[in-house]
Structures are given as structure tokens and as C-alpha cells.
Amino acid sequence: MHEMTLTELAKGLKAGDFSSRELTTSLLDRIERLDGELNTFITVTRDQALAAADAADQARARGDERPLAGLPLALKDIFCTRGVRTSCGSKMLDNFISPYDATVVEKLEAAGMVSLGKTNMDEFAMGSSNENSFYGAVKNPWDKHAVPGGSSGGSAAAVAAGFTPAALGTDTGGSIRQPAAFCGVTGLKPTYGRVSRYGMIAYASSLDQGGPMARSAEDCAHLLGAIAGHDLRDSTSVARVVPDYLAELDTPLSGLKIGLPKEYFGDGLDPEVERAVREAIGVYESLGAKVCEVSLPHTHLAIPAYYVIAPAEASSNLSRYDGVRFGHRCDAPADLEDLYKRSRAEGFGDEVKRRILIGTHTLSEGFFDAYYRKAQQVRRLIRQDFLDAFDEVDVLMGPAAPTPAFDLGAKKDPVSMYLQDIYTIAINLAGIPGISVPAGFSGQGQRPIGLQILGQHFAEAQLLNVAHQFQQATDWHRRHPSLEQETI
Ligand code: GLN
């Protein structure tokens, strides 16, 4: 059961091949047996999961036909879950039991889904390797010397390891797509505003967006349909009808216009990644798509602009962690200032502190115009690049990350880590949706490679269709790492 997609599991539940309790128990047992080394979960909520599974089974027996009822999933530990620790990968929130549920959590529960627990992540979603977690690094199930990517590394690795058929992640600069690529799963970052951020702990509010990670585009379509939509509690969520994402999956691709941004195939791209991505594009040509080169001329400015905007917003968002209301508080503070200083010094890790320093600097008087305003202007140009490209083509394609998963500990220098997001960050700055689908492996170490597909604002149905058609023609997404053999 641990290799089945959500869609297949839903059929099995419906046919009575197994109950949600049986399915949930088998996954919980698998997590218990194999997650010690991988470290994909921060908190496993066994009792709540079994209770939710029983409730779904009972509802089904009474005739409940909600399509997702009884299906398990895992939540990145950035989503607030009532009565359950919500740590955001930080010592700061190690003792934080959320008093409320994020909107997406409410929605998935209302759909009858069963949460298995909270997955590991880079602290406050800052990172590209999951090595910045207070709870320790996550290992890539395909190769335990490799990182799973980040910051949603726990979610991606948990899906790849067969602990859960699906998970939620968040993506501020690549944190769904890059770990999906590194772990060989499918991950969708929706359009900014498509999915409510209420109850999703804020990193950089103008960039953060939650989305699904699963074994197939079809499964992502199921999940996106369940979590998307307007939310009165998030003023940046968009009041726009949520389409039936499953309805368009089978649309044929003949005549689809694919643009290959020339900036995404230049220096720094690993040859094995390039080969896999170009082969995937060949598959699209055989499905009737037309391919041409396009240009996104401001691509080189995306990382610099992001590393002004994201830390600025982070420094403001993280000011709430002061040791007073919730989260870590230092012992025996001498006075209020000591309480603030020591609680924050003890509660935050190095990367978070680095971002707070950068953000506070760029927002300070005298630097605001030079850095923050400038970066916002660059952001506008980056967005325009995409809009211009979409005048010519339907979707854009390229690699999700410049290399396959790298070794644990390999990137000590923060800037080399930041460069990981070279193909993903501009998408967040522009607010458009992007999906990463498995498209091959590197020869050495059998590490997965992801193809990234980008669409216009709110074109998720089209992206899912384009990804699904690839998955009908290939079986990269059906490969699984052999965990048991290695551990037994
Ligand atoms: N790696 C990027 C960062 O560290 C993006 C992280 C994310 O998308 N949450 O900020």
C-alpha cells in the first residue's frame, strides 16, 4: 500500500479492499520502523490519526462518498494544528501547541483526510537542504548521503519513502519544487493567493504559498481542489472560482506551445540534469507539443532581489517571537530587554539570525530606498519577463534545480546554498504557479531529477494537465527507493 497513489488508495477504500484504519496503521508502522534514520517527521500523531481513520471508516459505512475521506497525508510543521505541536523546525516553537488549525488543515479534515503528523523542515522555511532544522537533518530516501532538499524536505522525503501518499509543503522561493525534484515526487506551488495562508507560519508573506506534494500530478489535482479557495481570514487569498482540477487532466497536448527560457539552460546547469530535462521535452514533442526558445532577461537578478525582499519580510514577521506571548523564553531574565535578547538568541538558529540581520539592515532608514525599494522594482521587471513570455507560449519548461540532490554537509557557504534556487525563486517573485515532476535520475547514486513546468497566473489546471500527460507517457514517478532492503 505504501507505493500506491492517492487515486489508487481512494479506489481501494471505496471497493472495501482495506479500511482507512488498516491503511493508516500500516503507514504509521512503516514510519515507526524506518523513519528513525530518515528523520522525516518531527511529530507523529498516531492516536489522532487512528481516531480520524475510524471516523472516516464509520462515515463511509453510513454512505459518505467524499473522495478524499480516509486517505492519509502529512503536514509540513509550518501549518498550525490545533492541540498539536507546531514547531516550524525551530527551537523557538519547540513548546508551541497551536490553539487553532490553519485553513488548509481545516479543509483537509473536512474532506475526511487523516493527518499522520508533522514533517521536518528547515527552520522557519529558510533553506534548501533541510539541514537548518532544530530537529536535525533529513536524509534522502534514495541515497542517505544526500539531502532531500528544502525547506519542505521532510514532506518530500516522507512521500518518497512511502510513509504517506501525500503531504503539504510551502514554497517561498522553491521549497516545494526543489525538494520534490530531489526526492522524485510531484510538487506544485500554486499561484500566490490561490491557497489560504491563514495558520501557515509566515516567512516572507508576499512570497509564501502552500501546496501539494504527492506521487502524481493527478494526486496533486485532488489535493489542490481540496485546499484552494478564498478565505476571509487571509486578505491575500483570491476570490476566484476553484476549477475542477481533475476535469482537464486528459486534455490532449497537441499544439501546446512550450517555451524553453534560454537563461535556464546556461552555465551552472549540471549536464545530467540538462540531459534528463531535454529528454522530457522530447517526450512532449512526441505528444504533439511545439517547442521554442524564449528569454527571461532579468533572471540573473532574481536571487539578489529575493535575498533583499525575503529577509526584510522575515525580519518583520519574526519580530513577534520575543519570549513574551509564546515560544521559547530564556531562564531568569534580568529585565525586559534581557528577556527579548536572550530568548531570541537562544531560540533562533544561525540561518534565521542571518536573515533577520540582513532584513533589519535593508529596511533601516537610509537603506530602504537603496535596497528594499530597488528590489521591488526589480521584482516588477521579473514578473513582466514572464508575462511577455506567456504572450508567445502556453507554458515554460526547464530544470527545477541546477543539480541533483547534493551530499549532506556539502554546502557550508550560505551563498552556494542560495544558488540552489536559481530556477525557482523568480516564480515566487512573479507569483505564478510551478510544478516539478520526476523526469529521470543521475547516473551516479541514482538521485532523482525534476522537470519544472511554469504557467500563467491561475493556470494550475493547465499545469496539472501538462504534468499528467507526461506521467501517462513515462514512469519516472512510479519508481520507488528500496528502503527495506537496505535496513534489514
Ligand atoms: N531556499 C530559499 C530560502 O532559503 C527558499 C525557501 C522556501 O521556499 N521556503 O529562502
Side-chain angles (χ1 to χ4, degrees):
M1 276 190 287
H2 65 268
E3 294 188 348
M4 289 164 78
T5 63
L6 274 184
T7 312
E8 290 160 355
L9 290 168
K11 283 200 190 109
L13 285 173
K14 191 166 179 204
D17 298 343
F18 44 81
S19 65
S20 176
R21 177 173 260 269
E22 284 165 344
L23 169 60
T24 305
T25 307
S26 104
L27 295 179
L28 288 167
D29 291 349
R30 184 173 167 84
I31 294 168
E32 202 170 290
R33 205 167 62 243
L34 298 170
D35 197 37
E37 202 189 347
L38 292 177
N39 200 24
T40 66
F41 278 85
I42 292 175
T43 306
V44 176
T45 49
R46 177 177 269 270
D47 294 345
Q48 289 99 320
L50 292 174
D54 287 343
D57 285 334
Q58 283 154 16
R60 186 176 301 278
R62 289 194 304 269
D64 176 9
E65 290 193 346
R66 288 172 301 170
L68 297 175
L71 292 171
L73 98 159
L75 302 165
K76 184 177 183 179
D77 206 14
I78 196 168
F79 292 101
C80 286
T81 42
R82 186 156 39 89
V84 174
R85 173 172 62 180
T86 301
S87 74
C88 219
S90 181
K91 179 178 177 187
M92 185 58 95
L93 291 176
D94 181 49
N95 63 3
F96 176 59
I97 310 284
S98 172
Y100 69 105
D101 278 325
T103 295
V104 293
V105 174
E106 265 178 10
K107 286 186 167 214
L108 292 169
E109 273 176 14
M113 291 197 84
V114 173
S115 169
L116 301 171
K118 312 293 293 288
T119 55
N120 206 338
M121 55 180 286
D122 283 303
E123 183 177 7
F124 285 104
M126 297 174 186
S128 302
S129 69
N130 219 117
E131 293 167 298
N132 294 338
S133 170
F134 173 61
Y135 301 91
V138 173
K139 293 184 178 160
N140 190 316
W142 288 96
D143 180 342
K144 289 176 190 148
H145 301 291
V147 302
S151 64
S152 313
S155 287
V159 174
F163 295 153
T164 175
L168 288 193
T170 63
D171 192 313
T172 303
S175 280
I176 288 178
R177 292 159 287 153
Q178 184 253 22
F182 279 14
C183 291
V185 305
T186 305
L188 170 70
K189 182 206 92 81
T191 307
Y192 183 77
R194 180 72 289 188
V195 173
S196 168
R197 291 183 298 110
Y198 178 77
M200 195 176 106
I201 295 175
Y203 160 19
S205 310
S206 75
L207 302 159
D208 298 339
Q209 186 62 198
M213 308 175 81
R215 301 213 165 95
S216 67
E218 184 176 21
D219 286 2
C220 288
H222 274 290
L223 286 168
L224 183 64
I227 61 175
H230 184 226
D231 180 4
L232 287 174
R233 295 174 297 188
D234 172 7
S235 61
T236 62
S237 72
V238 175
R240 202 176 153 123
V241 176
V242 178
D244 177 354
Y245 293 112
L246 296 165
E248 288 182 38
L249 289 179
D250 292 323
T251 307
L253 298 186
S254 57
L256 180 83
K257 286 196 212 139
I258 300 174
L260 306 185
K262 68 169 193 265
E263 294 79 6
Y264 288 20
F265 291 87
D267 281 351
L269 178 59
D270 177 278
E272 287 191 306
V273 175
E274 172 158 11
R275 177 187 42 76
V277 166
R278 291 206 187 271
E279 273 172 27
I281 288 156
V283 172
Y284 278 103
E285 284 178 312
S286 72
L287 294 173
K290 300 264 164 292
V291 177
C292 66
E293 191 180 272
V294 296
S295 176
L296 301 169
H298 297 94
T299 296
H300 63 290
L301 298 175
I303 288 188
Y306 174 91
Y307 278 99
V308 172
I309 293 167
E313 294 181 10
S315 77
S316 160
N317 279 324
L318 297 179
S319 64
R320 73 191 65 170
Y321 305 106
D322 56 7
V324 176
R325 287 171 293 262
F326 57 88
H328 178 74
R329 174 182 296 192
C330 67
D331 280 337
D335 55 26
L336 189 61
E337 188 156 328
D338 186 43
L339 169 74
Y340 292 157
K341 280 191 179 155
R342 277 203 292 128
S343 298
R344 287 169 69 81
E346 293 166 9
F348 290 135
D350 288 349
E351 184 61 29
V352 174
K353 286 179 186 157
R354 181 178 297 123
R355 309 261 178 131
I356 293 173
L357 284 172
I358 298 170
T360 310
H361 177 74
T362 57
L363 289 179
S364 57
E365 208 185 331
F367 294 106
F368 184 88
D369 284 342
Y371 293 111
Y372 191 73
R373 195 181 306 280
K374 198 61 162 179
Q376 292 290 16
Q377 290 164 344
V378 170
R379 180 176 189 172
R380 168 60 63 167
L381 296 174
I382 287 169
R383 180 186 150 95
Q384 195 58 46
D385 281 356
F386 285 105
L387 299 183
D388 292 346
F390 289 127
D391 281 342
E392 290 169 44
V393 297
D394 300 311
V395 294
L396 300 170
M397 288 190 192
T403 62
F406 46 88
D407 284 349
L408 284 151
K411 295 202 190 290
K412 298 262 183 272
D413 158 33
V415 175
S416 74
M417 190 72 88
Y418 299 169
L419 290 173
Q420 262 304 306
D421 297 318
I422 184 137
Y423 306 131
T424 48
I425 260 177
I427 284 75
N428 300 72
L429 292 167
I432 59 173
I435 189 168
S436 175
V437 292
F441 289 86
S442 68
Q444 218 195 3
Q446 284 292 298
R447 297 181 184 182
I449 291 170
L451 167 75
Q452 185 177 219
I453 312 167
L454 308 173
Q456 304 189 39
H457 293 100
F458 297 100
E460 284 83 0
Q462 183 182 40
L463 283 190
L464 289 163
N465 162 233
V466 172
H468 178 69
Q469 290 303 308
F470 180 72
Q471 295 186 334
Q472 297 299 102
T474 59
D475 70 350
W476 300 116
H477 65 298
R478 305 286 347 203
R479 314 274 179 103
H480 307 283
S482 48
L483 280 185
E484 307 257 17
Q485 280 164 11
E486 289 169 39
T487 30
I488 289 170

